[in-house]
Amino acid sequence: MPAASPFVSDIPAAQAMQAWREACAAAGCPERVPAVQVPVGEAVGRVTAEPVWAHRSSPAFDSAGMDGIAVRAAETVGATETTPVLLSAEAFEVVDTGDPMPPGYDAVVMREHVHRTADGQAELRAAVPPYQHVRSIGEDISATELLLPEGHRLRPVDVAACAAAGATELLVRRRPAVVVIPTGDEIRPVGTEPRPGEILDTNSLMLAAQAREAGCTAAVTPIVPDDPDLITAALREAAVDADLVILVAGSSAGRDDYTARVVAAAGTLAVHGVAVRPGHPVVLGAVAGPAGTPVIGVPGYPVSAALTFDIFAAPLLSALEGAAPRERPSTTARLARKLASVIGSDDWVRVRLGRVGGQVVATPLPRGAGVLTSLVRADGLLVVPAGVEGHHAGAEVRVELLRGLGEIGNTIVAIGSHDLVLDVAASELRATDPLHTLASSNVGSLGGLVALRDGLCHLAGSHLLDPATGEYTLPYVDRILGDDSGIAVVRLVHRDQGLLVAPGNPLGLTGIDDLTRPGLRYVNRQRGAGTRVLLDHELARRGIDPAEVSGYPREEHTHLAVAAAIAAGRADTGMGILAAARAFGLDFVPVAREPYDLVMRTSVLDDELLAPLWELLERPDFQNGVEKLGGYSCAETGRRIR
Amino acid sequence: MPAASPFVSDIPAAQAMQAWREACAAAGCPERVPAVQVPVGEAVGRVTAEPVWAHRSSPAFDSAGMDGIAVRAAETVGATETTPVLLSAEAFEVVDTGDPMPPGYDAVVMREHVHRTADGQAELRAAVPPYQHVRSIGEDISATELLLPEGHRLRPVDVAACAAAGATELLVRRRPAVVVIPTGDEIRPVGTEPRPGEILDTNSLMLAAQAREAGCTAAVTPIVPDDPDLITAALREAAVDADLVILVAGSSAGRDDYTARVVAAAGTLAVHGVAVRPGHPVVLGAVAGPAGTPVIGVPGYPVSAALTFDIFAAPLLSALEGAAPRERPSTTARLARKLASVIGSDDWVRVRLGRVGGQVVATPLPRGAGVLTSLVRADGLLVVPAGVEGHHAGAEVRVELLRGLGEIGNTIVAIGSHDLVLDVAASELRATDPLHTLASSNVGSLGGLVALRDGLCHLAGSHLLDPATGEYTLPYVDRILGDDSGIAVVRLVHRDQGLLVAPGNPLGLTGIDDLTRPGLRYVNRQRGAGTRVLLDHELARRGIDPAEVSGYPREEHTHLAVAAAIAAGRADTGMGILAAARAFGLDFVPVAREPYDLVMRTSVLDDELLAPLWELLERPDFQNGVEKLGGYSCAETGRRIR
């Protein structure tokens, strides 16, 4: 996204919101949606459009607060263990909890404290004060009192109280109506098979769902091609019945300009460009008409679309209902790694959270506006404000929560090299018990061991070969974590590493020796990745200088990124695992079989959080499933090697 | 509710939940509701019944990440400000963000960094690395990767990602079906006019709404009379199609026994009575049948009904969906006053929260199981565990939040004497801006000044007369808050105090002098209440000994409670304000006109939190509205008297 596009400004979010509201007011947009009368039973989730005053007291009569007998307190005076008082059958009445108090009686004695004599008298061994166990008229609600203010979003207890106070209908705000207009020549409806260059309209699906979650009704129009006249017409038509129109641009900036121009043509363009990333090229304005309709143009990148809805559309919709905006809870967390941020924009960073050693640790996820999975996987959102350059590793930061802290506390945090078997394990754990989550972040084997050293994860996934000894994992554990007897290592799996090649292996590669072929385009893994160490080892033992491998300096950070580069024809080969080849329909030339290990503190090994994982690794059905993936052996799965 | 009823046990909540689950399993209740296939667009809010693996990579092709030109990075080597590189029209292609990368090109230069010459060449003043501004195939989602685990409640971003990964339908859990059966001879449907002794069925309304909020479908059967055979038949019928049946007892304990007996007769009674208040007499079990159906019998007191749903039904329903239970966020707060709790039961205390002087302060609300408004007004729930006797005033406690902390921070906290004008002001503030909340707790005038001294509120509402000087409020401020120049006092209103009497004033009371009539039943206010001080003053200046007033020792804590006692015929008269008389349809004999003042720290006076209140007090429409209530004068409203 352009840092300072000549066409798009960088208005701070709060200022943009203010400008939008002012433009809406100037265009005659209603401040609130109209009020409607609904039966109390259907009012949950809606917002009160007037205060609710009690018409009736509740309870509406004095009643017994216990099962027992109704008495006159004055007649019990003097009763003790040694001098009980006897009440004749005419001097009391049996009552159950909730029964109206019989006239003339002013207290209740619990049945457990009453001895009934054979002739029907009641023997009391203690005096009772007036009004004991009597539930007073109006104890809960007094007629004429204020039950709920205007602008209150009704919960189940609220409607029950309103009904108890005599309400059968409530005046609430109509749900705001949101219309989503997808635009773009390359956009295709969800459910169709997109051709190369085409993109499925997942944004409309998401934005309509966000609107419904915000308590609105939502409709999506057919996709409008990249034609300003057609978009203007669609906008004008949608504005007639909508309380908010969302124009979804394709991801092209040419399109963003359409949106701004279209909004200007149809009414008022208040804002084009905000100091928020992702989400920068948002458009805010109002459509002219008898009453005016707010419009937001959200960028086509899915993270931008989702966040700009949250930041701008959601507060506007709350205001239309006259309700306080919904809030996400927040917590403080320690940042797992350094976080750089560009000065001048609020940076919305998605983070994974886990509780490690008693504190919440936040690991930033990929930052791209197009990486929707960064929102899917996020446990929280961290805003680096416009004036801050970023945070150091270990810094305490405030995080808005997208998952509950309890759930986060039940999450096994794995950082390091990533392997598909971790995904399979995560999925199986969850199927066994929805409270068990295994979250893994990919930073390479070496990065994982460093994260473990710094107390940022429970498990580090590692497959690092020590070329000197030919041994895996353990030498690096000593090197990075010290000669620490408090470290345990459990073998997860053995897996095949090999060369990923285009389908049919068009260059006929047979192994490492072929990598020196002139003109071959190799794609490498980053330093610290186990696969990189393996390649270096394989080259070294053949006496091949890395400089002879064309493409050696070109680094990708995951097996899948290597596979993607080959699938896209940007490279001829790279080292990776069979699962990565399969993901992109590539062929695979095996090179070596290596162990993949889980490294942890011994205290974690015995933690009940991990117990379900150790049980899972022993299960034959799990091991069979893993071996069926291809390229894996479970011969040593679950074995503690240190 | 009985402390230790002989019929009801006191099983700890966790143990009761465990016993219920075991009984359900033994009765053959399904562990999960069945899975159903739904279109992605309709899957939001549902729980995945299988892991979601990506079928397709997203993006599905390499694309331009910026608007600009696609180039071959190798051809830009050497370009600098002083030695630009010129690319001929054949050596680049114009691309917009999102466009597929043209074959052969491997980088994008932003249009802002390209100078186009008159003859169509592109001049570059910097070299670009390969893959600059290229969005890679699979950057967001790689085919075959695990997108979502089983047991995940789908959010808008999740379904968008699933759709992008090629899913058009998702396998999710069917919504659990809940059937609510109201029981009780005295229970009447909401919408009918209850006769004395009858109670509206607000519990079913609330429980069905709670079930829907928990993601279920909910149905309510007709009200079943107090007949075990009829209840058993209704339970068996409801169990056929339900995933959970909720039996709602009236508030009589005889009814609770019915429920337990009925559940035992229809299947298995697992639990009758838990160590939770309110909610103690809950019944947990399973109905026998081809598959078995869980059943919960909730007590008839509304707070008990709402809380036992939260504590027992909600986790069971989450488990049926295979999802993690929903969590409430929590915070720490300082307790505004001492909180006693009975050992042996988890005590669920409803609290009001406010941010005063930088910290969150929790004020306990009425504890009765029948006081639903205590849940309506609650900002949080505080659990005093079974083993704890309570907390001291000022203790730091953990509170589950029912409102967002941001909203709570926008709340003006008033503690002290209560007056209807505060309710009117609260309502008006909210109507003006849904972010403004004024929450008032009634502890009497003196209690309010003590709370202000202890930093527990922003405002103390006070109408205390100093008999020695005839002056209101100020002498008490000096006495309790010291000769503190940091205290401000603002007059809210003048109001009439008088004797509340039954309609038509059957005893023909004319004023204070009549209170010594033999046999007259007076109902008094508690010590520390301004109204009590006023009575004492009026008696003293007439030389009347309080002992001459029959009923003088009998204390109620609010104007409305005094009015309720008179309305119920439990007393003949008591002192109070006209609004209280009107609430219960009583007559009113004026005695005195008194000021009602707001006391606060001067720092709070200038706080922007309070500014909207000061503006409101000046508004003529507000003052007119108050005077129309009757018994009020706004002649000095808003005047600062100190």
Side-chain angles (χ1 to χ4, degrees):
Chain A
M1 216 151 287
S5 148
F7 309 109
V8 178
S9 55
D10 253 333
I11 301 174
Q15 199 178 313
M17 192 73 206
Q18 186 59 32
W20 192 22
R21 291 196 177 199
E22 284 166 12
C24 289
C29 303
E31 204 183 332
R32 301 265 188 275
V33 290
V36 291
Q37 201 84 29
V38 300
V40 272
E42 293 163 26
V44 173
R46 310 292 281 274
V47 176
T48 52
E50 64 180 6
V52 181
W53 301 89
H55 297 141
R56 185 156 56 205
S57 297
S58 173
F61 48 88
D62 281 358
S63 59
M66 289 286 175
D67 297 342
I69 59 169
V71 300
R72 292 177 194 90
E75 297 178 359
T76 69
V77 172
T80 67
E81 279 293 331
T82 51
T83 60
V85 163
L86 276 172
L87 297 178
S88 70
E90 292 72 40
F92 68 89
E93 259 188 49
V94 175
V95 287
D96 274 346
T97 309
D99 285 351
M101 284 297 285
Y105 294 96
D106 63 0
V108 171
V109 182
M110 282 165 64
R111 61 179 171 188
E112 293 88 330
H113 297 164
V114 179
H115 176 68
R116 301 286 286 278
T117 62
D119 58 351
Q121 299 189 87
E123 184 186 281
L124 301 183
R125 294 176 177 268
V128 296
Y131 317 113
Q132 170 181 286
H133 301 322
V134 173
R135 217 181 145 216
S136 294
I137 174 175
E139 179 198 84
D140 190 0
I141 300 165
S142 297
T144 76
E145 78 173 304
L146 175 69
L147 208 53
L148 295 170
E150 179 177 336
H152 178 84
R153 200 175 289 279
L154 292 157
R155 302 159 301 173
V157 291
D158 300 324
V159 295
C162 290
T168 53
E169 294 198 317
L170 292 170
L171 191 72
V172 298
R173 295 284 161 201
R174 168 165 74 56
R175 294 183 191 282
V178 173
V179 175
V180 181
I181 306 177
T183 74
D185 290 339
E186 80 287 21
I187 306 297
R188 291 290 169 272
V190 167
T192 57
E193 190 59 42
R195 284 170 303 184
E198 294 182 343
I199 293 171
L200 290 177
D201 181 26
T202 55
N203 278 335
S204 299
L205 189 74
M206 177 178 72
L207 290 159
Q210 285 181 284
R212 285 184 204 111
E213 265 201 345
C216 306
T217 61
V220 179
T221 71
I223 297 160
V224 183
D226 281 324
D227 176 325
D229 293 340
L230 291 177
I231 300 174
T232 307
L235 175 58
R236 287 213 166 103
E237 191 189 327
V240 174
D241 290 323
D243 300 302
L244 170 69
V245 179
I246 303 179
L247 263 177
V248 195
S251 44
S252 108
R255 196 84 34 72
D256 293 336
D257 292 343
Y258 281 162
T259 305
R261 268 191 285 152
V262 158
V263 169
T268 316
L269 174 66
V271 173
H272 185 199
V274 292
V276 171
R277 324 247 148 182
H280 168 60
V282 77
V283 168
L284 305 173
V287 182
T293 307
V295 56
I296 178 171
V298 304
Y301 276 137
V303 181
S304 300
L307 286 180
T308 49
F309 182 93
D310 276 1
I311 299 169
F312 299 105
L316 185 93
L317 291 167
S318 294
L320 281 172
E321 284 195 284
R326 293 168 203 254
E327 282 178 52
R328 289 199 191 101
S330 67
T331 190
T332 54
R334 224 180 104 206
L335 206 52
R337 58 167 195 258
K338 185 168 181 285
L339 184 63
S341 174
V342 178
I343 289 269
S345 274
D346 295 342
D347 207 347
W348 287 69
V349 182
R350 287 78 78 197
V351 297
R352 273 221 119 126
L353 298 174
R355 187 179 292 277
V356 181
Q359 65 185 343
V360 178
V361 173
T363 313
L365 286 158
R367 311 269 285 272
V371 187
L372 187 56
T373 47
S374 66
L375 258 182
V376 170
R377 306 227 153 106
D379 301 314
L381 292 170
L382 180 171
V383 183
V384 186
V388 175
E389 256 190 295
H391 298 292
H392 297 291
E396 193 172 278
V397 290
R398 194 87 207 154
V399 176
E400 281 186 24
L401 288 168
L402 300 171
R403 277 209 300 163
L405 272 179
E407 213 182 321
I408 286 163
N410 269 321
T411 300
I412 303 172
V413 181
I415 297 185
S417 174
H418 178 258
D419 188 275
L420 189 64
V421 175
L422 285 178
D423 283 355
V424 175
S427 186
E428 284 296 321
L429 283 175
R430 186 74 172 219
T432 310
D433 184 339
L435 287 178
H436 294 149
T437 303
L438 168 63
S440 51
S441 301
N442 174 39
V443 297
S445 295
L446 214 54
L449 294 176
V450 170
L452 182 66
R453 181 194 69 194
D454 295 345
L456 302 176
C457 61
H458 300 115
L459 301 177
S462 169
H463 60 113
L464 282 168
L465 168 68
D466 179 30
T469 61
E471 217 187 334
Y472 275 85
T473 308
L474 299 182
Y476 287 89
V477 168
D478 291 340
R479 221 168 291 161
I480 292 163
L481 293 154
D483 187 11
D484 189 339
S485 60
I487 295 294
V489 180
V490 171
R491 186 132 296 167
L492 181 65
V493 78
H494 276 91
R495 63 186 195 177
D496 294 332
Q497 287 265 22
L499 295 176
L500 314 187
V501 293
N505 192 2
L507 300 182
L509 301 181
T510 59
I512 297 294
D513 293 311
D514 291 333
L515 298 186
T516 55
R517 280 200 207 162
L520 186 91
R521 297 169 302 157
Y522 187 78
V523 55
N524 208 349
R525 289 292 307 282
Q526 87 279 16
R527 266 151 293 187
T531 304
R532 168 74 165 260
V533 173
L534 178 62
L535 172 76
D536 289 347
H537 174 66
E538 294 292 335
L539 292 175
R541 70 193 190 92
R542 285 169 175 82
I544 301 173
D545 180 351
E548 294 175 57
V549 180
S550 152
Y552 182 90
R554 183 174 154 195
E555 296 182 352
E556 289 287 357
H557 278 71
T558 65
H559 290 282
L560 291 167
V562 167
I566 298 160
R570 294 199 309 272
D572 297 315
T573 189
M575 189 116 94
I577 58 174
L578 180 58
R582 293 209 170 154
F584 283 88
L586 301 177
D587 275 357
F588 183 76
V589 180
V591 167
R593 167 156 286 200
E594 63 172 16
Y596 178 97
D597 298 318
L598 300 174
V599 186
M600 73 217 76
R601 302 198 179 275
T602 46
S603 56
V604 164
L605 185 73
D606 301 324
D607 193 317
E608 63 177 31
L609 180 68
L610 276 288
L613 177 61
W614 307 142
E615 282 164 30
L616 176 70
L617 296 189
E618 300 296 333
R619 268 167 46 188
D621 61 325
F622 171 76
Q623 298 192 357
N624 288 340
V626 167
E627 294 195 341
K628 271 198 199 132
L629 292 171
Y632 288 104
S633 156
C634 288
E636 294 190 28
T637 293
R639 191 160 78 82
R640 184 168 171 189
I641 62 165
R642 169 166 169 174
Chain B
M1 216 152 287
S5 148
F7 309 109
V8 178
S9 55
D10 251 334
I11 301 175
Q15 199 179 315
M17 192 74 206
Q18 185 60 30
W20 191 23
R21 291 196 177 198
E22 284 166 12
C24 289
C29 303
E31 204 182 334
R32 302 264 188 275
V33 289
V36 291
Q37 202 85 28
V38 299
V40 274
E42 294 164 24
V44 173
R46 309 292 281 274
V47 176
T48 52
E50 64 180 7
V52 181
W53 301 89
H55 298 141
R56 183 154 61 203
S57 298
S58 173
F61 49 89
D62 281 357
S63 60
M66 289 286 175
D67 297 342
I69 59 169
V71 300
R72 292 178 194 90
E75 297 177 359
T76 70
V77 172
T80 66
E81 278 294 330
T82 51
T83 61
V85 164
L86 276 172
L87 297 178
S88 70
E90 293 72 40
F92 67 89
E93 259 188 49
V94 175
V95 287
D96 273 348
T97 309
D99 285 351
M101 284 297 285
Y105 293 96
D106 63 358
V108 170
V109 182
M110 282 165 63
R111 61 178 170 188
E112 293 88 330
H113 298 163
V114 179
H115 177 67
R116 301 285 286 278
T117 61
D119 58 352
Q121 298 190 90
E123 183 185 284
L124 300 184
R125 295 175 176 267
V128 296
Y131 317 113
Q132 171 182 284
H133 302 322
V134 174
R135 215 179 147 219
S136 295
I137 173 175
E139 179 197 84
D140 191 358
I141 300 165
S142 297
T144 77
E145 78 172 304
L146 175 69
L147 208 52
L148 295 170
E150 179 176 337
H152 179 84
R153 200 176 290 280
L154 292 157
R155 303 160 300 172
V157 290
D158 299 324
V159 295
C162 291
T168 53
E169 294 198 317
L170 292 170
L171 191 71
V172 297
R173 296 284 160 201
R174 167 166 73 56
R175 293 184 192 281
V178 173
V179 175
V180 180
I181 306 178
T183 74
D185 290 339
E186 80 287 20
I187 306 297
R188 291 289 168 272
V190 167
T192 57
E193 190 58 42
R195 284 170 303 184
E198 294 182 343
I199 293 171
L200 290 176
D201 182 26
T202 55
N203 278 335
S204 299
L205 189 75
M206 176 178 72
L207 289 160
Q210 286 181 283
R212 286 184 203 110
E213 265 201 345
C216 306
T217 61
V220 179
T221 71
I223 297 160
V224 183
D226 281 324
D227 175 325
D229 292 341
L230 291 177
I231 300 174
T232 306
L235 175 57
R236 286 213 166 103
E237 192 189 327
V240 174
D241 290 322
D243 299 303
L244 170 69
V245 179
I246 302 180
L247 263 177
V248 195
S251 44
S252 110
R255 196 86 33 72
D256 293 336
D257 291 343
Y258 281 163
T259 305
R261 269 191 285 152
V262 159
V263 170
T268 316
L269 173 66
V271 173
H272 185 198
V274 291
V276 171
R277 325 249 146 179
H280 167 60
V282 76
V283 168
L284 305 172
V287 182
T293 308
V295 55
I296 178 170
V298 304
Y301 276 137
V303 180
S304 299
L307 286 180
T308 50
F309 182 94
D310 275 2
I311 299 169
F312 299 105
L316 185 93
L317 292 167
S318 293
L320 281 172
E321 284 195 282
R326 293 169 203 252
E327 281 178 51
R328 290 200 190 100
S330 66
T331 190
T332 54
R334 223 182 105 206
L335 208 52
R337 58 165 194 258
K338 184 168 182 284
L339 184 62
S341 174
V342 177
I343 289 270
S345 275
D346 295 342
D347 207 348
W348 287 68
V349 182
R350 287 78 78 198
V351 296
R352 273 221 119 125
L353 299 173
R355 190 179 290 278
V356 181
Q359 64 185 344
V360 178
V361 173
T363 312
L365 286 158
R367 311 269 286 272
V371 186
L372 188 56
T373 46
S374 66
L375 257 182
V376 169
R377 307 230 151 102
D379 301 314
L381 291 171
L382 180 171
V383 183
V384 186
V388 174
E389 257 190 295
H391 297 292
H392 297 291
E396 193 172 278
V397 290
R398 194 87 206 154
V399 175
E400 282 186 24
L401 288 168
L402 300 171
R403 277 209 299 162
L405 273 179
E407 214 181 320
I408 286 162
N410 271 320
T411 300
I412 303 172
V413 181
I415 298 185
S417 175
H418 179 258
D419 188 275
L420 189 64
V421 174
L422 285 177
D423 283 354
V424 175
S427 187
E428 283 296 321
L429 283 175
R430 187 74 173 222
T432 310
D433 184 338
L435 286 178
H436 294 148
T437 303
L438 167 63
S440 51
S441 303
N442 172 41
V443 297
S445 294
L446 215 51
L449 294 176
V450 170
L452 182 66
R453 180 195 68 196
D454 295 345
L456 303 175
C457 61
H458 301 114
L459 301 177
S462 170
H463 60 113
L464 283 168
L465 168 68
D466 180 30
T469 61
E471 216 186 337
Y472 276 85
T473 307
L474 299 182
Y476 288 89
V477 168
D478 290 340
R479 220 167 292 161
I480 293 163
L481 293 154
D483 188 12
D484 188 340
S485 60
I487 296 293
V489 180
V490 171
R491 185 132 297 167
L492 181 66
V493 78
H494 276 91
R495 62 186 195 178
D496 293 333
Q497 286 266 21
L499 294 176
L500 314 187
V501 294
N505 193 2
L507 301 182
L509 301 181
T510 59
I512 297 295
D513 293 311
D514 292 333
L515 298 186
T516 55
R517 278 200 206 162
L520 187 92
R521 296 169 303 158
Y522 187 79
V523 54
N524 208 349
R525 289 291 307 282
Q526 87 279 15
R527 267 151 292 188
T531 303
R532 167 75 163 258
V533 174
L534 178 62
L535 173 75
D536 290 347
H537 175 65
E538 294 291 335
L539 293 175
R541 70 192 189 94
R542 286 168 174 83
I544 300 174
D545 180 352
E548 294 175 57
V549 179
S550 153
Y552 182 90
R554 184 173 154 195
E555 296 182 353
E556 290 285 359
H557 278 71
T558 65
H559 291 282
L560 291 167
V562 166
I566 297 160
R570 295 197 310 270
D572 297 316
T573 189
M575 189 116 94
I577 59 174
L578 179 58
R582 292 210 171 152
F584 284 87
L586 301 177
D587 274 358
F588 183 76
V589 180
V591 167
R593 168 157 286 199
E594 63 172 17
Y596 178 98
D597 298 318
L598 300 174
V599 186
M600 72 217 76
R601 302 195 179 278
T602 46
S603 56
V604 164
L605 186 72
D606 301 325
D607 193 318
E608 63 177 31
L609 180 68
L610 276 287
L613 177 61
W614 308 141
E615 282 164 30
L616 176 70
L617 296 189
E618 300 297 333
R619 268 167 46 188
D621 61 325
F622 172 75
Q623 298 192 357
N624 288 340
V626 166
E627 294 194 341
K628 271 199 199 131
L629 292 172
Y632 289 105
S633 156
C634 288
E636 295 190 28
T637 294
R639 190 160 79 81
R640 184 167 169 190
I641 62 165
R642 170 167 170 171

